[in-house]
Amino acid sequence: MSNLIELKVPDIGGHSNVDVIEVFVKVGDTVAKDDSLITLETDKATMEVPAEAAGVVKEVRTAVGGKISEGDVIVVIDAAGVAAAANPAPAAAPAAAPAAVASQVAAPVATPAAATHSGTADIDCDVLVLGAGPGGYSAAFRAADLGLKVVLVERYATLGGVCLNVGCIPSKALLHNAAVIDEVKHLAANGIKFAAPEIDIDMLRGYKEKVIGKLTGGLAGMAKARKVQVVRGVGSFLDPHHLQVETTDGTGQDKTGAKQTIKFKNAIIAAGSRVVNLPFIPQDPRIVDSTGALELKAVPNKMLVIGGGIIGLEMGTVYSTLGARLDVVEMMDGLMQGPDRDLVKVWEKYNAHRFDNIMTGTKTVAVDAREDGIYVTFEGAKAPAEPQRYDLVLVAAGRAPNGKLIGAENAGVAVTDRGFIEVDKQQRTNVPHIYAIGDIVGQPMLAHKAVHEAHVAAENCAGGKSFFDARVIPGVAYTDPEVAWVGVTEESAKRDGIKIEKAVFPWAASGRAIANGRDEGFTKLIFDAETHQVIGGAIVGTHAGDMLGEICLAIEMGCDATDIGKTIHAHPTLGESIGMAAEVAHGSCTDLPPQRKK
Ligand code: FAD
């Protein structure tokens, strides 16, 4: 008797139409629960989708090069064929999966045999945290607050990881300046004219560094106040209870030759991710990744952004406002994948002036560094016939996890082929006293996700019973206007067959947006047509990201349109648009022309 089960794409943080870059299974394969089925690549991350049940693959409904969204069926399996194997008695299980099965499934996450460290240790602690990004420092601080003795290992001189040093914060410091320049320009239409800005790029870079310093310095102070011992160096596991740290010095990762061994009861791996480099791109100072772009060495005349995702478009915004003309190339058929297209259209219209050429559905196939510029050849829907010349090329093609760079195998921790560490809802790896959080565990690579996972892991180290059970993880493009979205989108609802009701409040009817001279945006709420609870929302407009939290809370609390609409929002605020969108949903909005009776 067969028992057919559809295995679907789980919550992938609101992304939709995501590229399938690997398919690990074919018809006839036997998959175990948690075996990887496919790898997805969004603008910020690659992620493997594990099987939620074991079975024999009967049908594969996706392929490399295809696009997929939350709820789409990946494979259909027959669970009956492996019913016995799905629940093996642990004691009777063989030490390793038979080689034939392992190779058929292509990328099962092998559990390595842990090493044994027989030497002594220099430091002893309750919790060892590896990596001091938003995940790592949050885990360390939470564990210390819960009374545990914590050691935090970081290879760089400052705490804060990618987010504070070369990610979220420096990009927003530059975007803030760009937004002010742009806003001042718009005032000309109101009769207030300023001269063209004089940009001292060294001072602007200095401002960005000051912002970073303030935050990373603050973290160092908070670590001290909590008696978290920070150990500087590159950490690598020796066994399931020991980590070796090779001491580093200076601002980078220069090794001093000194080593320390840390013994731990629990460990939290928060070693993050790194930029993905495209193999055919040569080394040249005029070709940068996001970290290089944030160094802001000069403003080019002509800049190419490879990858039309959030990071590329945010950095493109900064350089364009400072004077660069932009081209962008994106393999997918639209920029900024994730939010509904109606939001992206508003952003596109408002930003059309920045771009000479938006090449969607197009690939970069060759990059040639010549004396007079970087020549790039394209292929695809919007590829120019000739190679194009650029003064600066930003490669923003995604990030890869650091799972294979930390000696995880010595601790017995399983790492996927792509370098992710799989965890359960309590953030535990396959080794129960070792947890992993943040970019290294995949899903949306976002700082706020890392922080929430961090608290869960730290609380479990302290003997608690915490779970990562967020209903939604918001996403924001901090462009101008900002594009912010959370939960179910119209597009994902259509694909997943979820019956929804949507309500839109156009900012053309918002007193505050009109007063600000920025009424191009709108606020949209998505409700479940049966329960009438809000299950998604999106905002395009200035400060959209700052306002999204209310919709996230409403979704977590299971609010309906009345809950949101009857909550008094201050007038005139942009946030009021959320209340008014809810009023649109229940037909009581008096700030719009009369609604047609349903
Ligand atoms: P990381 O921040 O990557 O930190 C990992 C730390 O571990 C690093 O400090 C690293 O040095 C250290 N480490 C690694 N291996 C070792 C080792 N062996 N020994 C010692 N130390 C080690 N996210 C948002 O939510 N909002 C944004 O606006 C946003 N903007 C971004 C802009 C850019 C340009 C980029 C690149 C990223 C952005 N992100 C944003 C993503 C965000 O930065 C990451 O999701 C976040 O930093 C992940 O946190 P983490 O703690 O998992 O890892």
Side-chain angles (χ1 to χ4, degrees):
M1 215 177 77
S2 70
N3 179 11
L4 296 181
I5 299 177
E6 292 181 336
L7 300 185
K8 296 180 181 175
V9 178
D11 179 0
I12 48 175
H15 292 286
S16 58
N17 263 339
V18 174
D19 276 337
V20 178
I21 59 168
E22 280 173 296
V23 176
F24 297 122
V25 292
K26 58 183 186 314
V27 171
D29 283 352
T30 302
V31 290
K33 185 172 179 300
D34 292 332
D35 279 351
S36 294
L37 297 174
I38 54 173
T39 303
L40 301 179
E41 190 167 61
T42 68
D43 49 356
K44 284 200 170 175
T46 57
M47 64 188 95
E48 290 185 19
V49 178
E52 284 179 347
V56 176
V57 177
K58 292 288 168 196
E59 206 183 326
V60 179
R61 295 228 187 129
T62 189
V64 172
K67 286 172 191 163
I68 208 160
S69 304
E70 185 181 338
D72 285 352
V73 176
I74 305 167
V75 292
V76 179
I77 58 165
D78 182 355
V82 291
N87 297 301
V101 173
S103 65
Q104 274 169 21
V105 180
V109 185
T111 304
T116 309
H117 171 66
S118 51
T120 55
D122 305 293
I123 305 171
D124 219 316
C125 64
D126 295 322
V127 183
L128 170 279
V129 182
L130 180 60
Y137 79 72
S138 305
F141 292 1
R142 182 80 184 112
D145 288 347
L146 292 168
L148 299 174
K149 185 181 175 203
V150 182
V151 172
L152 177 59
V153 176
E154 170 57 52
R155 58 190 168 174
Y156 288 117
T158 53
L159 306 183
V162 169
C163 178
L164 271 68
N165 292 286
V166 290
C168 330
I169 297 301
S171 59
K172 271 70 216 177
L174 296 179
L175 277 162
H176 166 71
N177 284 277
V180 174
I181 294 174
D182 287 336
E183 187 160 7
V184 161
K185 252 190 237 163
H186 290 132
L187 290 183
N190 307 346
I192 301 169
K193 293 186 184 155
F194 291 87
E198 273 178 42
I199 293 162
D200 182 328
I201 201 154
D202 296 330
M203 280 183 75
L204 180 55
R205 195 184 316 110
Y207 168 74
K208 178 207 72 176
E209 295 301 335
K210 218 165 91 187
V211 170
I212 295 172
K214 206 167 181 178
L215 282 162
T216 55
L219 286 183
M222 287 202 281
K224 216 170 173 184
R226 289 180 160 87
K227 299 192 171 52
V228 168
Q229 185 177 356
V230 178
V231 174
R232 169 87 191 271
V234 177
S236 189
F237 287 96
L238 295 171
D239 75 6
H241 284 282
H242 294 87
L243 182 101
Q244 184 177 74
V245 182
E246 291 186 80
T247 308
T248 47
D249 202 4
T251 52
Q253 296 188 71
D254 299 333
K255 290 190 179 155
T256 64
K259 286 181 187 167
Q260 277 180 295
T261 299
I262 301 168
K263 186 174 179 199
F264 57 85
K265 289 194 186 88
N266 295 285
I268 301 175
I269 300 172
S273 64
R274 64 191 184 282
V275 162
V276 167
N277 294 310
L278 300 176
F280 58 87
I281 293 190
Q283 292 277 326
D284 188 286
R286 295 163 298 176
I287 303 173
V288 294
D289 56 24
S290 58
T291 302
L294 286 165
E295 283 172 15
L296 203 65
K297 291 202 171 129
V299 179
N301 290 321
K302 183 89 184 134
M303 175 176 181
L304 171 68
V305 179
I306 299 180
I310 293 175
I311 291 177
L313 296 177
E314 287 182 358
M315 290 315 302
T317 303
V318 170
Y319 275 86
S320 144
T321 297
L322 295 179
R325 296 294 311 160
L326 295 183
D327 278 4
V328 60
V329 57
E330 165 61 52
M331 284 202 314
M332 296 179 73
D333 58 5
L335 301 181
M336 209 188 281
Q337 295 294 319
D340 280 330
R341 294 298 90 187
D342 52 354
L343 294 120
V344 180
K345 261 191 206 142
V346 173
W347 171 83
E348 273 174 353
K349 192 167 166 207
Y350 200 81
N351 284 272
H353 67 96
R354 299 182 189 274
F355 295 93
D356 288 332
N357 206 355
I358 297 178
M359 296 172 273
T360 48
T362 305
K363 272 198 310 202
T364 308
V365 290
V367 179
D368 186 14
R370 296 187 208 160
E371 208 174 316
D372 66 331
I374 308 292
Y375 284 76
V376 184
T377 311
F378 305 98
E379 235 177 55
K382 302 212 176 129
E386 299 297 320
Q388 302 292 298
R389 196 198 71 79
Y390 298 98
D391 303 303
L392 184 73
V393 173
L394 163 61
V395 184
R399 298 185 62 82
N402 289 331
K404 294 212 162 165
L405 310 176
I406 55 170
E409 63 285 359
N410 293 331
V413 172
V415 180
T416 69
D417 276 354
R418 300 185 67 86
F420 285 113
I421 296 176
E422 293 180 352
V423 289
D424 64 14
K425 290 244 173 208
Q426 291 194 295
Q427 303 301 136
R428 282 181 213 274
T429 68
N430 59 304
V431 180
H433 67 280
I434 301 183
Y435 301 77
I437 57 172
D439 283 6
I440 208 163
V441 304
Q443 281 98 49
M445 287 190 180
L446 292 170
H448 39 275
K449 188 206 67 152
V451 171
H452 280 261
E453 291 172 343
H455 290 182
V456 169
E459 287 158 12
N460 289 324
C461 287
K465 273 219 171 302
S466 287
F467 294 83
F468 184 83
D469 56 4
R471 283 190 178 177
V472 287
I473 301 171
V476 179
Y478 297 88
T479 44
D480 182 28
E482 292 185 352
V483 179
W485 70 101
V486 62
V488 173
T489 63
E490 278 186 78
E491 285 167 29
S492 72
K494 207 180 286 170
R495 270 187 310 271
D496 301 346
I498 302 174
K499 286 208 180 99
I500 58 162
E501 282 162 359
K502 79 162 171 171
V504 174
F505 184 79
W507 286 21
S510 153
R512 186 60 187 271
I514 294 170
N516 289 350
R518 293 297 303 269
D519 62 355
E520 74 278 0
F522 63 84
T523 299
K524 170 161 69 174
L525 295 177
I526 307 256
F527 299 91
D528 184 304
E530 278 162 26
T531 66
H532 305 294
Q533 288 176 332
V534 62
I535 52 173
I539 309 174
V540 55
T542 53
H543 308 289
D546 290 323
M547 292 186 284
L548 191 68
E550 179 183 348
I551 304 179
C552 300
L553 181 65
I555 295 172
E556 292 287 350
M557 300 291 289
C559 293
D560 62 18
T562 310
D563 296 324
I564 303 167
K566 295 286 179 198
T567 300
I568 298 181
H569 293 72
H571 174 77
T573 59
L574 297 173
E576 205 179 6
S577 69
I578 298 171
M580 290 189 177
E583 288 181 350
V584 169
H586 61 64
S588 60
C589 184
T590 48
D591 279 60
L592 288 176
Q595 289 174 252
R596 257 188 277 131
K597 294 263 180 296
K598 284 185 186 166

